[in-house]
Amino acid sequence: MSQVARSKGRAGFITGFLIAPLALYLTFVIWPYVQTFGYSFTNWSGQSPTFDFVGTDNYATLLKDEVFRGALWHNLLLLVFVPVVTILLALFFAFMVNAGGRSGAGGVRGVGGSRVYKVVYFFPQVLSLAILSVLFGAIYRSDEGGLLNGFLTRIGLIDAQHPVEWLNEPDFVLWALLFVVVWHGVGFYLVLFSAAMQSVPKDIYEAALLDGAGRAQTFFKVTLPLLWDSVQTAAVYLGIAAMDMFVLVSTMTSGQFGGGPDHHSEVMSTVLMRNFLYFGKSGYACAMGVVMLALTMILSIVTLRATRRERIEF
Amino acid sequence: MGSTGEGLGRRDLIKRSAALGLITVPTMSFLSACASGGEENSTKGPAKAPVTKENPFGVGKGGKLDVVVFKGGFGDDYAKAWEAAFDKKWGTTSSHLGTQEITAKLQPRFNGGNPPDVVDDSGAQQIKLDVLAKGDQLADLTAVLDAPSLDDPSKKVRDTLVEGAYEQGLQGGKFVVLKYVYAVFGFWYSGKLFKDKGWTPPKTWDEFLAVCTQAKEAGIGGLAHQGKFPYYINVVIMDLIAKKGGLEAMKAIDNLEPNAFEGNPAALAAVEAVYEVVEKGLLMPGTNGLTHTESQTAWNQYKAAFIPSGSWLENEQLKQTPEDFDMKFLPMPLLADSKLPFEAIRAGVDEPFIVPEKAANKAAGLEFLRSMLSREWSTIFAQQANSLTVVKDGVDPSVKLRPGTQSAVDALKAAGGNTFSYRYPDWYSEMDSEIQNASNELMAQRIQPKEWIKRAQAAVDKAAKDPNAKNNKRV
């Protein structure tokens, strides 16, 4: 069989398998997108099949909507901090449990007890976001019954009459939520990076060791470049988590679908849901959805482009 | 194996499609939430029976009845008992859904044109009534009011309802919502705690502050409120406004007048009074960040003297309330020179029942509401849910009420005709939500009373642009 004929046959074979999933994808993903785009030009209330066409009014209102703009700003802040903090911590811990230890015989291994650490670090990942919000709700609770407040009162750092209302502090609430996301994510990325590190041949490390490289040098000159693909994937995933944040914000903060106090923890998805389900402005909410889609697309493309590097093969 | 460099390698293809798939993750759920069911469904209801005096809506025997109720503080046993009674009488087969997720369960059905026949649209995830009314999704219930009462066919149903039941069911001038539970709003305290400490229930705001101060000296918080849900502290602010400024002040807010808050001395005095509690440190520590269950439970543990709430409080807290707590209701204490007497209370109807306009068995839905307004069904509700209904004297005297509910009933009797109630939360969701945000800031001492007034007025002015504002007038 000629080369061409064989590849043609293979293409047909692959296409045959792809048709069914493609049809499903078109029906359940692409079609709702198209519909949403259409609804974003209407004044649909969300609770009735009737509505009028209003042109680009929704988008014009959106530009002037201060709550939405504030939410966008919060999403951008999270977009910077969630991936950076999570990846840095995960890389550090992964390096320590895999290659951070030193042994007299010159082997490469993690710090003592690294197996235990790996398991412990992974714990948060098995918790669902709903459990997480209950858990941290109890930690951040605003009276003495809260873990943080209880602890800080006992050691005398805060006055029992004036406990800190962690999730009700405009300047703090977003960071409190950021902490939860990072806490939840680090374990997973630690395991991801560990797996990647373990596929790095030991002899590379040994060579670096023989050349007298310290921990920091080994990490920056050997580990990080070899892990770049995994880091890139992690950045995209975490960026997406930062663009969403819906579950945590809506369950942990005050306001209909969260966002409180006074819009200080608002993210785009909470503003969207409030307009969609609570204010009966579903057409307007759909316009927000379209904007979110456009932003996430740009984000993904930028991340993949900006982090592109020469591949290292080993 | 590396990539071949020619066109798209297998790895690259997979990587790119994975990336494309990933970006859809966060947006997908929100975007697809926006997709509606589209075309209207044309399910036919059962054959209609001829309209008679006993069967004013022409319910066909042996049809289906689809009931969805909010399963919250009142549970849903009462609804099951009702459905059984209804099935027995009309030969229907009813399907029952008790849920807290009203919006999630019903939104697709409203959009698809196949809603249930009766809905108790309540709870935190209720579908907002103003939204439903604007979408023409609510059946006109005037026919139920004009039908003969089941208890006494010589009377119309409308004449068996308590004061306010009709007015509070209006949306855009049409009676489309039957709010079934009769509730009073005010402060609550523990009879036991007050007896032990020798405090007297205050009648004026100054006395109220004095009790709060005594409580603080005894190591107890003065006022607790459900900080995460500023709805409750808004009850205090708004009731003080209504009692000081009289019904005119209340109606000015509901009618979105340009001086509803700004330039209204009663409003400023009320907000300043509430702010005084904050300034003097008389709030229960941390109460601003607590949920309703957390703060109410703390109050049940004698950590605060007062808490604002409606008369569902006792039922909601049944499990957390100590046996000898002796829950008591207190009308909102008076500010100086108030126009309404101390006994005046906000008495509202709540727990909105609706019949969707496009219900498959609308006749049965209407008949179901008529049956709810009978003495028999009202007593079932009082027994199962420990609460009053909008049916006048609708509870059989043999039913024994719990102390909190009993004290609320007594307060209601003392109030006589001096009851009032706000409409704006039902009419203007967005305005309500903005005022709640302002109150949260006020309680956290991040804004001053003057700023609160400004923000509340801005919310009113914004709501005045609502096209429905001209229909939602009260006189």
Side-chain angles (χ1 to χ4, degrees), chain A residues 39 47 142 168 262 300 311, chain B residues 11 23 36 137 286 446 455:
Chain A
Y39 283 124
Q47 304 294 352
S142 61
N168 195 25
D262 205 23
S300 300
R311 287 182 62 91
Chain B
R11 267 195 182 182
I23 57 164
S36 87
Q137 292 284 18
R446 287 191 288 264
R455 286 178 62 161

Side-chain angles (χ1 to χ4, degrees), chain B residues 12-29:
Chain B
D12 276 347
L13 179 73
I14 293 174
K15 244 172 72 179
R16 282 188 203 174
S17 45
L20 259 181
L22 278 180
I23 57 164
T24 61
V25 173
T27 36
M28 192 165 66
S29 49

Side-chain angles (χ1 to χ4, degrees), chain A residues 25 28-29 32-33 35-36 39 44-51 137 141-144 160-163 165 168-170 229 232-233 236-237 240-241 243-244 246 250-256 260-264 269-270 272-282 285-286 289-290 292-294 296-297 299-301 304 308 311 313, chain B residues 1-3 11-12 15-16 19-40 103 106-107 110-113 124 126-128 130-132 134-137 216 227-230 281 283-290 294-295 298 303 358 429-430 432-434 436-438 440-441 444 446 455 462:
Chain A
Y25 192 76
F28 293 108
V29 180
Y33 276 30
Q35 271 193 314
T36 303
Y39 283 124
W44 182 44
S45 77
Q47 304 294 352
S48 138
T50 55
F51 45 77
R141 198 180 145 136
S142 61
D143 65 0
E144 247 194 309
Q161 286 302 307
H162 301 97
E165 293 161 6
N168 195 25
E169 297 287 345
D229 268 2
Q232 199 182 356
T233 312
V236 174
Y237 263 113
I240 284 162
M243 288 301 271
D244 180 353
F246 179 72
S250 65
T251 49
M252 291 182 65
T253 60
S254 64
Q256 289 85 18
D262 205 23
H263 306 303
H264 283 282
S269 50
T270 53
L272 187 157
M273 287 307 267
R274 189 175 315 116
N275 278 282
F276 186 63
L277 288 178
Y278 198 78
F279 295 160
K281 292 180 171 176
S282 299
C286 285
V290 171
M292 276 175 75
L293 173 70
T296 0
M297 275 199 159
L299 161 75
S300 300
I301 293 166
L304 288 177
R308 192 150 65 181
R311 287 182 62 91
E313 310 253 341
Chain B
M1 182 182 128
S3 58
R11 267 195 182 182
D12 276 347
K15 244 172 72 179
R16 282 188 203 174
L20 259 181
L22 278 180
I23 57 164
T24 61
V25 173
T27 36
M28 192 165 66
S29 49
F30 298 106
L31 282 181
S32 40
C34 291
S36 87
E39 68 285 339
E40 282 184 42
T103 291
L106 292 187
Q107 199 210 11
F110 273 109
N111 277 312
Q126 74 165 171
I127 305 182
K128 295 301 292 180
D130 51 346
V131 176
L132 281 174
K134 274 184 217 158
D136 291 324
Q137 292 284 18
K216 195 185 175 188
K228 211 176 164 192
F229 303 104
L283 283 183
M284 179 177 87
T287 190
N288 285 333
L290 296 183
E294 285 166 354
S295 55
K303 285 183 186 158
K358 300 197 179 76
S429 306
E430 219 173 325
D432 184 27
S433 159
E434 277 160 24
Q436 287 190 24
N437 271 346
N440 184 45
E441 295 300 286
R446 287 191 288 264
R455 286 178 62 161
K462 199 165 148 200

